[in-house]
Amino acid sequence: MKPKYTRNLTRMQFFKSADYYGMSKIYEDLYLKSSKNINVKNLIPIIKDKRNMLIAIRCIKSNIGAEVCGIDGITFTELLQRYSTEELHKLVCNLIDNYETIGIRKVFIHKNNSKLKTVGIYNAIDKLVQQMIKQVLEPYCEGKFYKHSYGFRPTRQIGEVIARCHHLVVNTRCEYCVDIDIKDFFDNVHHNRLIKQIWNIGVKDKKVLMLIKKIIKAPVNGIIQTKGLQQGSILSPFLSNIVLNEIDQWVAGQWEEFQKHCKSNKAPEEFVKELQYKKKILNPNYNPKKKVKGNIKYFRKWKSLKTGYLIRYADDFKIFTPNYKEAIKWFNGVKQFIEKRLKLEINKEKSKIVNLKKSKSNFLGFELKIINTKKKQKKRRTNVKNKSSKTKYILQVRVSKEKIREMSKEFKKSLKLIVKNPNDSVMIINRLNLKILKWQNYCKLSTYPSKDLNEVYLRNYTKINVLKKYYGILKCISMDEAKKTSKLIKEHYSEYNGVTFKSSFGGIIFPIWAIKQQKLSQRNPKVSPYIREDLIKYWYKTLTWDNSEGKQLIERYCNNKWINSLVAVHAIGLYTAQYGKCPLTDLPLSDGFEIHHKVTKASGGSDRYINLVMLNEYSHKLVHSSNKEIIQKYIKLIKNLGGKINKAYLNKLRKLLNLEPIMIMP
């Protein structure tokens, strides 16, 4: 499973909404119960909670899939317009008690490798129910999941995966890698097995289990599903982690968790009895009351343990091990476990054992290879923080050839469109620039990101020359010129002083090779966003929702004016991002605020977060005013309140509205 280029902002929006509606404490309690191995029952009242439904609405609205309809032909926005909040809550509660669905609409999507991918689209009301179930079950299951699984989990990024791989190579000296790929994982998940796994993980609510069973067995084109999870469902990624958590815990228990068990202050009685029965002589260094490294080797000798460390992203996982013999043991053991226990098949073509010193291993669109730093006395780069200078081997991460080929094809398509439609070159270049930013955000995890992306440019070098010399559509310009004409280039490429290309119609192509590598580090796996202290410390830094007045003010404003709009979703994020202050005047928003559209809807503006800003009542009127007397009136009112007007930002907002700039005297 390849990760998405863009960062999923819905996760952060969920935690903001949970804190706003007062559900964060309930989610935290579920997480703490899980960490203490306490089983949970009676989850239906929490799922049915009106606050839980409102959080689910905000999460779905900010997703692209909100505008896609199911079999009933109703989008999520249309559903919200048809029913009030109270009516929708009653409808959802009745559906949870007696769940029935019309079915799933099947859609075929072309993948990058020219294969068709089937996606199931549920009805809008079904999406809402699934999101509500997920929000309650996820905090509990997060406490049970393996600490080094990263796919479809909150606040877990790809950079942490790469940093973990480097740690295993350098610190544990694992040179061999066992690549395991499950064949058609989502299409072959056993339903009864999945329900048992949810029960064993600690969810002892039979009503919730029956509800999940009905959802995953929903008919597709009139045919009831006997196995598999629908790709496109909100619940499917979460349920896939529950399925694969069993193998995560099994692999970890073979060595990683067992190793910790051996280092405890007391030796396990099982081993002592076993050694006495076999009449074996204990290691002279062995002492049950002390932590001795020799104990691990001794137990490993007689228990035939295998050294192995697991990293999993969705259905793709790797096991790092020090030698080939143990790699074979892991490969055969994991294969048998997946086939017999999980009732799934291994993809033989993609599953293999790789010596990282001799060959490369593909993972998440990157190629991993061990490099000798002291060979030929040449320094080798790495993108991991706090690397020791004494380290002999490092893990080199490069963008895979397949990924470079995909990016170069998309780049070439955009250039062909410019040739066919030169008048629309500005629009085509803007779309290409968005792709370039996505590629750069993804490839910055590489050890040599500029080299990797430069290869994309070199593959299309001849095409660019044709556009320059033959058609005369593109021309070379310096970055200093580009920074003067484009604010985005100035923002993203302020340190770069090379050249780029400009269309004769005005569009400027972003320099694809102008990128710096990102230094990676591992976050403590015990840190969880469901614990409020960790959330504030690592993600929010400053959380302003302790102000109850501001909280009530936003709720009242959204309910009265923007209840069925995407603006209500972003109001919480805007208030938090602006630290409860107006960016124009620095006055507190708790005294009263209004949400301003930078580009009006009449001019083609939207309700997206990037197009919104939260302003003071007087500053909002100042932005829209064209009468000089009214302008002076509001300037005086703002100064009397102790506000300081940001002239540059004020005139920037007025320029977007095609209004004249305001000259403010000191």
Side-chain angles (χ1 to χ4, degrees):
M1 181 68 65
K2 293 180 181 179
K4 293 181 179 180
Y5 289 118
T6 54
R7 184 184 174 187
N8 191 2
L9 298 176
T10 311
R11 290 291 190 181
M12 281 297 102
Q13 186 64 51
F14 165 74
F15 292 112
K16 289 176 183 177
S17 302
D19 197 43
Y20 172 68
Y21 284 112
M23 285 291 289
S24 56
K25 182 64 179 173
I26 296 170
Y27 297 145
E28 187 179 356
D29 289 341
L30 287 168
Y31 180 82
L32 292 172
K33 282 181 181 178
S34 174
S35 58
K36 294 176 183 177
N37 294 322
I38 302 171
N39 299 331
V40 286
K41 298 179 181 179
N42 302 322
L43 294 175
I44 292 292
I46 303 172
I47 294 170
K48 287 182 177 179
D49 197 321
K50 187 181 176 181
R51 296 172 295 173
N52 189 44
M53 187 197 73
L54 291 171
I55 296 167
I57 289 170
R58 298 197 168 194
C59 288
I60 296 171
K61 276 174 101 176
S62 57
N63 200 350
I64 301 170
E67 301 299 324
V68 182
C69 59
I71 291 177
D72 58 359
I74 303 169
T75 62
F76 194 76
T77 50
E78 290 174 356
L79 181 73
L80 297 176
Q81 291 171 359
R82 287 189 182 186
Y83 302 98
S84 65
T85 309
E86 295 295 332
E87 291 173 346
L88 187 61
H89 185 236
K90 288 180 182 178
L91 185 67
V92 169
C93 289
N94 292 331
L95 186 62
I96 290 170
D97 291 333
N98 304 296
Y99 187 83
E100 289 183 5
T101 182
I102 305 170
I104 307 167
R105 185 165 70 91
K106 204 170 184 178
V107 178
F108 295 95
I109 299 172
H110 285 279
K111 295 173 81 175
N112 294 323
N113 55 2
S114 70
K115 292 184 179 179
L116 287 173
K117 178 184 176 182
T118 57
V119 177
I121 301 172
Y122 286 79
N123 296 329
I125 192 71
D126 294 329
K127 290 178 184 177
L128 185 58
V129 172
Q130 289 183 37
Q131 183 65 32
M132 290 167 70
I133 296 167
K134 182 190 173 186
Q135 288 172 180
V136 175
L137 292 184
E138 193 174 48
Y140 182 82
C141 293
E142 275 293 317
K144 298 284 183 146
F145 286 161
Y146 179 57
K147 59 185 178 181
H148 294 303
S149 64
Y150 296 91
F152 308 125
R153 293 183 64 184
T155 65
R156 293 195 173 228
Q157 301 174 1
I158 308 170
E160 295 178 32
V161 182
I162 304 299
R164 174 66 180 170
C165 292
H166 188 276
H167 168 77
L168 294 175
V169 167
V170 175
N171 295 347
T172 62
R173 298 179 182 179
C174 292
E175 303 172 3
Y176 284 81
C177 178
V178 182
D179 294 345
I180 304 292
D181 186 78
I182 301 172
K183 188 177 181 181
D184 300 330
F185 169 70
F186 281 92
D187 297 332
N188 294 312
V189 172
H190 199 273
H191 287 176
N192 293 334
R193 183 71 192 167
L194 171 61
I195 300 300
K196 287 179 183 178
Q197 286 172 324
I198 299 170
W199 177 272
N200 293 333
I201 212 167
V203 181
K204 306 292 184 180
D205 196 326
K206 292 182 179 179
K207 290 182 179 179
V208 173
L209 295 177
M210 289 302 298
L211 183 60
I212 293 170
K213 196 171 183 178
K214 287 178 181 179
I215 291 169
I216 61 178
K217 289 184 179 292
V220 180
N221 297 333
I223 303 168
I224 297 172
Q225 301 298 300
T226 55
K227 65 175 183 177
L229 298 172
Q230 285 295 327
Q231 295 193 54
S233 168
I234 293 172
L235 270 176
S236 292
F238 167 67
L239 294 175
S240 68
N241 276 330
I242 293 175
V243 174
L244 295 172
N245 182 59
E246 192 170 351
I247 192 169
D248 293 346
Q249 300 297 342
W250 179 77
V251 172
Q254 293 294 307
W255 175 248
E256 194 172 359
E257 296 297 325
F258 183 86
Q259 187 180 5
K260 292 179 182 178
H261 188 57
C262 289
K263 286 185 178 181
S264 61
N265 292 328
K266 264 189 179 181
E269 294 180 1
E270 300 175 6
F271 301 132
V272 176
K273 287 180 181 179
E274 186 179 348
L275 293 170
Q276 287 175 352
Y277 176 75
K278 291 182 178 181
K279 297 180 181 180
K280 300 291 182 183
I281 301 170
L282 289 172
N283 190 333
N285 297 325
Y286 178 77
N287 188 346
K289 297 181 180 181
K290 292 182 179 181
K291 298 178 182 180
V292 183
K293 291 183 179 179
N295 295 347
I296 302 165
K297 293 180 180 180
Y298 190 69
F299 288 139
R300 181 184 172 199
K301 184 179 179 181
W302 296 111
K303 294 295 291 184
S304 65
L305 299 174
K306 308 179 287 293
T307 307
Y309 300 89
L310 176 74
I311 300 175
R312 181 175 65 83
Y313 192 98
D315 58 335
D316 294 338
F317 53 94
K318 293 182 178 294
I319 300 172
F320 287 85
T321 187
N323 55 62
Y324 184 69
K325 288 183 179 180
E326 297 196 358
I328 293 173
K329 290 179 182 178
W330 276 117
F331 186 85
N332 295 328
V334 171
K335 184 183 177 183
Q336 289 179 11
F337 188 92
I338 291 171
E339 291 176 350
K340 293 181 180 180
R341 190 76 178 261
L342 301 182
K343 298 180 181 180
L344 297 168
E345 292 184 20
I346 293 287
N347 191 341
K348 294 179 181 180
E349 295 178 358
K350 295 182 180 179
S351 302
K352 55 186 177 181
I353 298 170
V354 181
N355 185 354
L356 294 174
K357 286 185 177 180
K358 295 180 179 180
S359 54
K360 300 173 183 177
S361 176
N362 291 329
F363 194 40
L364 307 177
F366 295 102
E367 291 179 347
L368 311 180
K369 194 176 187 301
I370 295 176
I371 303 294
N372 191 347
T373 56
K374 297 184 179 180
K375 193 175 181 181
K376 297 180 182 180
Q377 297 179 354
K378 189 176 178 181
K379 291 184 178 180
R380 305 283 183 170
R381 286 179 68 184
T382 180
N383 55 344
V384 178
K385 290 181 179 178
N386 303 323
K387 183 187 77 69
S388 177
S389 59
K390 297 179 181 180
T391 305
K392 186 178 179 181
Y393 296 102
I394 60 168
L395 187 70
Q396 192 177 76
V397 183
R398 301 296 296 270
V399 179
S400 65
K401 293 178 181 179
E402 293 178 3
K403 188 66 69 177
I404 289 170
R405 205 179 295 116
E406 289 175 15
M407 291 187 288
S408 60
K409 281 182 181 179
E410 290 186 34
F411 197 92
K412 195 174 184 178
K413 282 181 184 178
S414 300
L415 295 176
K416 285 181 178 179
L417 286 171
I418 293 171
V419 176
K420 291 179 181 179
N421 307 300
N423 295 327
D424 299 330
S425 61
V426 177
M427 183 183 69
I428 296 165
I429 287 170
N430 288 336
R431 289 177 181 175
L432 177 61
N433 288 337
L434 288 173
K435 290 178 182 178
I436 289 170
L437 289 174
K438 290 177 182 178
W439 296 338
Q440 289 177 341
N441 189 42
Y442 178 78
C443 295
K444 66 184 179 182
L445 304 174
S446 170
T447 309
Y448 301 96
S450 58
K451 286 184 180 180
D452 295 332
L453 287 175
N454 191 46
E455 192 173 341
V456 177
Y457 165 72
L458 292 173
R459 285 172 180 258
N460 296 277
Y461 181 75
T462 53
K463 194 71 179 177
I464 292 169
N465 272 343
V466 169
L467 288 171
K468 279 170 59 184
K469 296 178 180 180
Y470 186 75
Y471 292 100
I473 298 173
L474 295 179
K475 64 175 182 179
C476 277
I477 61 165
S478 65
M479 286 300 295
D480 294 331
E481 292 181 36
K483 289 172 189 177
K484 291 176 182 178
T485 54
S486 176
K487 292 181 180 179
L488 282 171
I489 290 177
K490 190 178 179 180
E491 183 182 349
H492 292 282
Y493 307 99
S494 58
E495 299 179 0
Y496 181 67
N497 296 319
V499 293
T500 188
F501 301 97
K502 184 181 180 181
S503 170
S504 55
F505 295 89
I508 300 172
I509 299 175
F510 289 176
I512 190 171
W513 54 85
I515 180 176
K516 289 184 177 180
Q517 67 172 183
Q518 181 184 340
K519 294 294 180 182
L520 307 175
S521 60
Q522 292 186 79
R523 189 182 288 117
N524 187 356
K526 294 180 180 180
V527 172
S528 174
Y530 290 101
I531 298 173
R532 185 176 175 82
E533 294 178 359
D534 294 342
L535 185 66
I536 295 170
K537 187 177 179 181
Y538 294 97
W539 288 281
Y540 280 170
K541 305 294 181 181
T542 53
L543 195 64
T544 57
W545 286 116
D546 294 331
N547 188 353
S548 59
E549 293 179 3
K551 203 171 174 179
Q552 292 171 6
L553 192 68
I554 288 177
E555 191 174 5
R556 188 170 62 251
Y557 183 89
C558 293
N559 288 338
N560 292 340
K561 198 172 182 180
W562 302 102
I563 186 62
N564 291 323
S565 174
L566 195 61
V567 177
V569 178
H570 298 310
I572 303 166
L574 288 168
Y575 192 93
T576 307
Q578 295 175 192
Y579 304 103
K581 293 181 179 180
C582 173
L584 268 179
T585 59
D586 208 33
L587 293 171
L589 293 170
S590 57
D591 298 334
F593 68 86
E594 292 181 0
I595 295 176
H596 169 71
H597 288 73
K598 296 175 184 178
V599 180
T600 59
K601 286 194 171 184
S603 303
S606 63
D607 290 336
R608 292 179 64 192
Y609 182 88
I610 198 169
N611 194 43
L612 304 175
V613 63
M614 197 173 279
L615 300 174
N616 182 272
E617 185 181 355
Y618 298 142
S619 58
H620 191 209
K621 290 177 180 178
L622 186 63
V623 171
H624 287 278
S625 299
S626 56
N627 192 329
K628 291 182 180 180
E629 293 180 1
I630 296 171
I631 289 169
Q632 292 299 324
K633 176 187 173 183
Y634 287 116
I635 288 171
K636 287 181 180 179
L637 284 168
I638 290 166
K639 287 183 177 179
N640 290 334
L641 291 168
K644 296 180 180 179
I645 300 170
N646 190 338
K647 302 175 190 177
Y649 192 59
L650 173 62
N651 291 323
K652 182 182 176 181
L653 294 176
R654 288 179 64 85
K655 188 179 179 181
L656 293 170
L657 300 173
N658 297 320
L659 296 172
E660 294 181 358
I662 297 173
M663 301 297 293
I664 301 171
M665 301 299 292

